[in-house]
Every structure is written in structure tokens, then in C-alpha cells.
Amino acid sequence: MNNTSPQSTASTVFIHSLIFLFPFLLLITRFGVGLCSFAFLLAAIVYRRQGWPVLMRHLTEIRGVLIAFGALLLMAMVGAAVSSDGRLRDLEKPLRMLAAGTVMLTVLACRPSRKALWWGLIGGAAVGAAFIAYQRWGIGLDRPGGLINSITFGDIMLCMGLMCLAGTLDFAGRSALWPGLGALAGLAGSVATGTRGGWLAIAFSALLLGRYGHVLRGRWRKVLALLALALLVSTYFIPQTGARERIDEGFSDVHQYFNGGPTYTSVGIRFELWRSALKLIGRHPLLGARPAAVKAEMEELVNTHQVHPYVLQFEHFHNDILQALVFGGVLGLIIWGATLAAPFMFFLHQVERGGGGRNAPALAGMLLVLSYFSFGLTEVIFWSVRSCMFYAMMLFLLAGLCLNAKEETR
């Protein structure tokens, strides 16, 4: 895992610092993602001669991922061009997500140690947990969300914690305690936000870890896994966490919605938005509709008393699949789905056929993709630029680390 590229000491310090700062600054600053993405772009330009030949050697492996993000951008460009209400800002997220490929190019050129990423995730989970704990129990916010909203903060915290579990594979013996603590911090930070939907990611990730992770190999990893499980279960019985209240509230919301009670609840609102989305999808199943048309049709549904008026208060449908279908139809769903499926298959291939040094970053990549899919079942996790950039930049960073490990075995 040592840096074997012929870079100067200053360059080595720079790239390792940049990789560390990306997850470390993500949740505690407003500028972290933008600063790091710009720095990676500049680094990719500077080191293009070293990175490009390596990328070309592995282009067949990574081509599907690049095509998926390229198709996402192309769809946004076509939509903006043919629509009278097309907005250039609609291109920002897909453009920046494709440009995140420069992170991979930089990693391929500089061949940094994977430990820089793991320590960044450990540190990011720790400071994020401390930040959200201060907001929750220090100043008394009921649903703290750091510098963003509570759902996105809690989801990203959980995702970082799960990736720390994958990182234990790169730590020998008792040193695995450090990424284990990062995993616990990520889970604790997620619990502190009061987010419930993200817990689906824990169930899916447990199945994945059981099948591919080998994370429980060794005494310390078993202890850490048991501690994580104990922490998760204990939150239901500790009133200060609010977990029991939120879970009981969820069951109550479902009962009220289907039995004629008040529907303006956290779960009820989602059900009503999903019902509205299904009505709109039936009108434009293949290519979806533009935002202005969606807004007008939502108002029509309200005026004809088919859905509750409060659905007009929300910017999205709280489900990534339905969001893709409403605005992009079946074609949009396929393209959005490819940005999850193509990376997952890439990382799966690395684990099943690569092994060795590729296991940790590849497992982290699968956990990243699976987490985002899980989050999107009850939330539009790709709504904010910060969340989109974390996904794309982390994905390409982990892909670069996997390809570097393959280079080392040549």
C-alpha cells in the first residue's frame, strides 16, 4: 500500500492530505466538497501524463461506470435543450458528478496509500458525531442536521461508518480498533439525527458483509461488530436517543394513514407523495415530464381532490426511483439506475476476481452504492449537490484504489 509513483515528497503529502480532507471536511464545513473537487481537478491536470496511460489500461473495466455518468449528463443536456423551461443549473449535478472522474485519474497517477482514506473516514465520522451530538444534547435541537438537513446528514454519517467497517481489512490486529471506532461514531451520529430511513441500509449492508466482507475475521473485528450491534439495539431503550419514540411514531403514522386518521405525518406525507408520483408516472411513462409540467399536474391533482394539498409544499417525492420516473420516465430510471448498478458490478468484480489489496476499497465501494440505494427508498438522496458529490467522488476514489491494487499485482 505504499506510494510507489515517482512523485516528490511535497506531491505525496499533498495527495494524501487531499484524500484525508475530503471525508474529514465533508460534514463540518460548507466549502469542503467544493474545495476538494477543485483540488482533484487541478491535480488531474498536473498529473495527466502519469495517470492517463494507467486509465487506458483499465478502461474496459471502468467504461460502464463512465458511460453511466456520461448518459446522466447527456439526458440532462437534452432535457435542457428541448424544453422551454430548461435551466442550466439542472446540468450542475450531472456535470460535476462526471467530472469527479478526475479523482480517479489523480489516484491512478499518484498511487496514494489507502490509509489516507480510512483515516479521513474515521476522522470525518468522529468530528461529525461530535458536531451532531453537540447540536442534539448541547443546544437541544430535536432533529439536528449539522450544516445541512438531518436526513442527509444522518445518511452520510451512516455511510461513512459502514465504509469504516470495510477499512478494518487494511488494519492488522488491534489497530482494527480505529476504523471500528469510526464505524461506531458513524452509527452514533446517524442515531443522533433521528433518521429512520437510513436503517434500511444497515440491514442490506449486514447481508453484504456476511457474504463478501470477511469483516468478522479475527477477535477484534468480532468485538467491534458486537459493539456496533449492541449500540444499535440499546438506542431503542435509551430515552435520550429518541430512537424508540421515532420508531413507535412510524408505526403510528402508518396506522393513521390507512385507517382514516391524520395523514400530515412524516410517513403519511411520504405515502401521499408516492401516490401522487404514481398518478403522474401513468401520464408520462416513457420520457417523464419537465418540472413546469409536473408542477401544473400536481396542482391539478390537488384541485380535483385526488391528493392532499400539502403535497405542493415539497420539492421532491421522497423516493429516488419515483423521482427518476416522474421526471425521466422509464428511460430516466434506466440511466439513474445505471449510476448505481454499473459501479456496484465494478466493485463486485474486484472482490470476486481480484482479492488481496482490492478487497477493502471494493467492499467499501459496494457499501457506498448499496447505502445510497437504501437511502433513496425513503428520500431523494441525490437531491443536494453535497450528497451527489460525496457519492461520485468517493466512488471514483475507491475505483482508483482498486485499480492501483491491481497494478501492484501485475
Side-chain angles (χ1 to χ4, degrees):
M1 292 187 300
N2 294 325
N3 186 345
T4 59
S5 65
Q7 307 297 334
S8 66
T9 301
S11 297
T12 301
V13 171
F14 168 76
I15 189 60
H16 283 87
S17 298
L18 180 57
I19 290 174
F20 171 85
L21 289 173
F22 163 48
F24 184 80
L25 296 177
L26 177 72
L27 294 175
I28 60 172
T29 67
R30 298 187 186 278
F31 62 83
V33 169
L35 176 65
C36 291
S37 63
F38 183 68
F40 273 117
L41 174 62
L42 291 181
I45 294 173
V46 172
Y47 298 117
R48 65 188 183 280
R49 291 184 178 177
Q50 294 95 323
W52 192 255
V54 184
L55 177 61
M56 289 298 100
R57 284 199 295 271
H58 299 285
L59 185 60
T60 300
E61 294 178 73
I62 200 67
R63 181 186 290 127
V65 178
L66 296 173
I67 290 175
F69 283 97
L72 189 68
L73 175 59
L74 179 61
M75 183 178 69
M77 293 174 64
V78 171
V82 302
S83 176
S84 59
D85 64 330
R87 299 171 297 180
L88 290 179
R89 67 181 182 182
D90 292 338
L91 303 179
E92 179 186 4
K93 286 187 288 188
L95 178 60
R96 292 183 64 179
M97 290 174 76
L98 179 60
T102 56
V103 177
M104 179 175 62
L105 191 62
T106 303
V107 171
L108 292 176
C110 299
R111 300 187 185 182
S113 167
R114 294 192 295 272
K115 289 290 184 68
L117 174 60
W118 305 137
W119 283 115
L121 285 169
I122 294 166
V127 297
F131 186 18
I132 211 68
Y134 167 73
Q135 288 190 326
R136 177 69 184 272
W137 295 291
I139 60 180
L141 294 181
D142 182 49
R143 292 294 308 280
L147 303 175
I148 48 180
N149 68 77
S150 59
I151 296 176
T152 303
F153 191 102
D155 287 347
I156 293 178
M157 278 292 297
L158 179 58
C159 187
M160 292 172 67
L162 290 171
M163 286 191 289
C164 282
L165 278 180
T168 61
L169 295 173
D170 275 344
F171 288 74
R174 295 186 179 183
S175 63
L177 176 66
W178 294 110
L181 291 176
L184 293 174
L187 178 59
S190 180
V191 169
T193 64
T195 301
R196 293 172 302 195
W199 286 29
L200 289 171
I202 297 177
F204 289 139
S205 297
L207 295 175
L208 182 69
L209 290 171
R211 174 64 180 85
Y212 294 106
H214 313 299
V215 172
L216 300 183
R217 184 179 57 206
R219 183 181 63 182
W220 284 101
R221 293 185 179 91
K222 292 178 181 179
V223 170
L224 292 170
L226 290 173
L227 283 175
L229 179 61
L231 174 62
L232 179 62
V233 173
S234 68
T235 59
Y236 184 80
F237 301 98
I238 302 175
Q240 289 79 6
T241 66
R244 181 171 186 171
E245 179 183 352
R246 293 283 293 161
I247 293 173
D248 292 346
E249 181 183 272
F251 284 116
S252 176
D253 290 352
V254 173
H255 182 269
Q256 287 180 181
Y257 185 85
F258 289 105
N259 289 275
T263 63
Y264 194 77
T265 62
S266 178
V267 176
I269 289 170
R270 282 174 168 78
F271 284 163
E272 195 68 6
L273 286 169
W274 296 348
R275 192 164 69 90
S276 304
L278 291 173
K279 292 179 179 293
L280 298 182
I281 292 166
R283 300 183 180 189
H284 312 279
L286 296 180
L287 299 177
R290 298 300 299 165
V294 170
K295 182 179 179 181
E297 292 180 6
M298 287 286 285
E299 292 174 349
E300 177 191 337
L301 292 176
V302 170
N303 293 333
T304 55
H305 307 290
Q306 297 184 58
V307 297
H308 288 277
Y310 58 70
V311 297
L312 298 177
Q313 302 174 20
F314 299 92
E315 296 180 296
H316 55 71
F317 292 96
H318 282 270
N319 181 285
D320 270 321
I321 296 174
L322 295 178
Q323 186 82 5
L325 281 168
V326 168
F327 292 98
V330 173
L331 177 62
L333 178 64
I334 292 173
I335 292 175
W336 167 81
T339 63
L340 293 167
F344 188 87
M345 294 307 298
F346 168 81
F347 290 120
L348 179 61
H349 176 82
Q350 302 302 310
V351 168
E352 291 190 334
R353 299 192 181 182
R358 284 183 269 177
N359 275 344
L363 179 60
M366 286 196 290
L367 289 169
L368 170 69
V369 176
L370 189 60
S371 293
Y372 263 68
F373 171 77
S374 304
F375 301 151
L377 295 177
T378 56
E379 174 68 2
V380 178
I381 189 62
F382 288 102
W383 183 255
S384 72
V385 173
R386 186 193 302 249
S387 182
C388 287
M389 291 306 296
F390 174 71
Y391 176 75
M393 291 175 67
M394 184 60 70
L395 186 158
F396 282 115
L397 198 164
L398 291 167
L401 292 176
C402 286
L403 295 178
N404 279 348
K406 186 174 182 179
E407 283 283 303
E408 292 172 7
T409 61
R410 287 177 52 134

